[in-house]
Amino acid sequence: NKGNYEHYMQKEIHEQPESLTTTMRGRLIRGGSSKSKTVLLGGLKDHLKTIRRSRRIVFIGCGTSYNAALAARPILEELSGIPVTMEVASDLLDRQGPIYREDTAVFVSQSGETADTLHALEYALENGALCVGITNTVGSAIARNTHCGVHINAGCEIGVASTKAYTSQIVVMAMLALAIGDDTSSSLGRRESIIDGLFDLPNKVREVLKLDQEMKDLAKLLIAEQSLLVFGRGYNYATALEGALKVKEVALMHSEGIIAGEMKHGPLALVDENLPIVVIATHDACFSKQQSVIQQLHARKGRLIVMCSKGDSAAVCPGGSCRVIEVPQVEDCLQPVINVVPLQLLAYHLTVLRGYNVDQPRNLAKSVTTQ
Ligand code: UD1
Ligand code: M6R
């Protein structure tokens, strides 16, 4: 049921304040006296000690689920102190890459049925790793075959383009980081700020959704383009990849997510006055580096669309020479949840304006059950 919406993708983008609320329901605990703020992931509580003892955490997934894990990687590294590595499921299988008994392998999948992810799970089980699932679908193959896990509870997702599952996956992995780090007193203040940020996140998503019309206007400007680059770094490298994936998947426009630190190692050669470039430059520890990226793109007359925190327009775009998307600022590790929303809206409007099928892009299936 699409309710008042024209497409499932549109509905699923707009219901993110509610889906995120459901994802967190009963899992964030604020109040009590001694241990005031904490998280409770019922599916993991008996396994946290084993996870904390592991030598490495390996995230495994495909497409948007991989990107969600990439977005959560920095906070997991920070709060757990355990090395975190990333694997595209098919690539792990192609290489028969090393997975050890001392590893915690985390399988991220909305459907819980993706063939590559499922085969990678079988492979990790054979190699003796502790296998953790992060899935949206209760009773799915990945939920059944992992040792333990967390359901993201985002509600059924129908659009082939994953939107609300992405933001819920990031939130669950941030909660996973909080749960693993729960025994470390030095990070208490940081963890409490993140928990406060999580409580407020649905409101902030509601706020960023107000950019809908602005993104439609931007889509009108970009309707006939051949290509769109998206630059991000740090917490928002994943946002660049995910924004580009949405644009190519539904709007059928070539788009590439680029890690900004690699700009001078190739991508800069593409920059001219015609190619549109989105630069994600919201306020975090990488901000000044992103400012200098913007200056260098500007010096090459790049057509810039800069995403920044509210009030930072002048700091990212001196002289008003670029188009600016201002988004609400949240705790740095939760910012990817906010920043992806305007890009989801942009991909959606581009698709409608270009006249393509929103909910069932050509050649794609919601759940990729063959290899
Ligand atoms: C569970 C109930 C929820 C109830 C809550 C009350 C289910 C599905 N969930 O939620 O309805 O409101 O208790 O405390 O009945 N698991 C995996 N792999 C995965 C995902 C989950 O093995 O990929 C396992 C978990 O380890 C856990 C079980 O499935 O044993 C349920 O997980 P989850 O729904 O996340 O647990 P709760 O949030 O505690
Ligand atoms: O169900 P899964 O999360 O395992 O699916 C993984 C990918 O097939 C999926 O995210 C795909 O990239 C989406 N269509 C992206 O929107």
Side-chain angles (χ1 to χ4, degrees):
N1 188 328
K2 286 188 282 226
N4 294 327
Y5 295 100
E6 273 173 64
H7 304 99
Y8 284 109
M9 182 187 181
Q10 184 190 26
K11 172 176 179 272
E12 287 158 1
I13 292 171
H14 285 274
E15 73 190 13
Q16 290 177 105
E18 291 73 38
S19 52
L20 289 169
T21 302
T22 321
T23 296
M24 294 186 278
R25 182 164 296 142
R27 291 170 165 171
L28 289 184
I29 293 144
R30 193 157 56 169
S33 50
S34 55
K35 220 181 172 194
S36 54
K37 291 168 190 164
T38 179
V39 298
L40 180 73
L41 297 171
L44 290 188
K45 60 178 188 322
D46 298 335
H47 299 85
L48 281 175
K49 275 200 183 124
T50 318
I51 298 175
R52 285 188 192 116
R53 276 202 304 266
S54 51
R55 295 269 292 274
R56 168 176 80 148
I57 295 170
V58 192
F59 275 128
I60 301 165
C62 305
T64 289
S65 293
Y66 175 91
N67 292 342
L70 190 65
R73 180 194 199 180
I75 193 60
L76 200 74
E77 286 177 333
E78 180 191 329
L79 293 182
S80 73
I82 302 169
V84 181
T85 62
M86 302 292 309
E87 292 284 358
V88 169
S90 62
D91 186 48
L92 175 70
L93 293 166
D94 289 347
R95 296 178 357 257
Q96 297 284 295
I99 297 285
Y100 302 113
R101 292 186 61 81
E102 300 79 14
D103 287 333
T104 294
V106 183
F107 296 84
V108 188
S109 173
Q110 187 286 131
S111 62
E113 303 289 349
T114 299
D116 285 323
T117 313
L118 198 50
H119 282 107
L121 168 59
E122 284 160 16
Y123 175 74
L125 287 168
E126 282 163 20
N127 286 279
L130 174 71
C131 294
V132 179
I134 295 181
T135 52
N136 196 28
T137 316
V138 178
S140 62
I142 289 170
R144 280 184 280 114
N145 294 319
T146 38
H147 295 118
C148 59
V150 189
H151 290 113
I152 67 168
N153 299 337
C156 187
E157 190 181 64
I158 292 167
V160 166
S162 186
T163 53
K164 64 174 180 170
Y166 179 71
T167 48
S168 284
Q169 286 167 337
I170 296 175
V171 160
V172 162
M173 288 182 267
M175 291 194 290
L176 170 68
L178 290 165
I180 296 174
D182 197 37
D183 65 338
T184 312
S185 58
S186 57
S187 64
L188 181 68
R190 169 74 157 149
R191 282 185 280 115
E192 292 198 333
S193 317
I194 298 169
I195 293 174
D196 287 338
L198 285 169
F199 271 107
D200 200 32
L201 198 58
N203 283 330
K204 290 286 166 48
V205 172
R206 218 164 268 130
E207 206 177 313
V208 75
L209 281 166
K210 292 183 185 149
L211 291 173
D212 192 34
Q213 185 59 47
E214 203 175 314
M215 291 304 114
K216 190 172 176 180
D217 295 343
L218 179 59
K220 283 180 191 156
L221 285 180
L222 299 177
I223 182 169
E225 295 301 334
Q226 300 277 329
S227 180
L228 177 71
L229 301 188
V230 190
F231 278 75
R233 72 193 315 146
Y235 292 106
N236 289 290
Y237 170 37
T239 313
L241 295 187
E242 177 58 10
L245 177 57
K246 289 292 91 101
V247 169
K248 94 180 89 178
E249 174 180 34
V250 283
L252 315 190
M253 181 187 286
H254 170 255
S255 186
E256 211 180 311
I258 295 173
I259 189 157
E262 281 284 288
M263 180 179 69
K264 291 182 189 166
H265 304 285
L268 195 53
L270 287 171
V271 179
D272 62 13
E273 58 277 20
N274 301 313
L275 177 65
I277 305 173
V278 175
V279 184
I280 303 166
T282 41
H283 219 106
D284 61 21
C286 296
F287 183 60
S288 61
K289 285 189 182 174
Q290 269 319 59
Q291 278 180 305
S292 98
V293 163
I294 293 167
Q295 276 161 11
Q296 295 177 53
L297 291 171
H298 192 61
R300 271 117 193 134
K301 302 195 169 48
R303 246 180 94 189
L304 303 186
I305 302 148
V306 180
M307 185 186 295
C308 67
S309 305
K310 277 217 168 101
D312 269 353
S313 281
V316 295
C317 182
S321 51
C322 43
R323 206 181 165 95
V324 171
I325 307 167
E326 283 200 356
V327 297
Q329 193 176 345
V330 297
E331 195 71 13
D332 52 11
C333 61
L334 304 176
Q335 195 68 45
V337 171
I338 298 299
N339 292 0
V340 79
V341 174
L343 302 176
Q344 294 172 339
L345 291 168
L346 176 65
Y348 170 74
H349 288 298
L350 267 176
T351 311
V352 175
L353 291 168
R354 284 159 69 92
Y356 295 120
N357 189 328
V358 175
D359 288 328
Q360 277 175 312
R362 71 177 179 209
N363 310 337
L364 297 183
K366 178 69 181 160
S367 178
V368 184
T369 53
T370 53
Q371 277 182 298

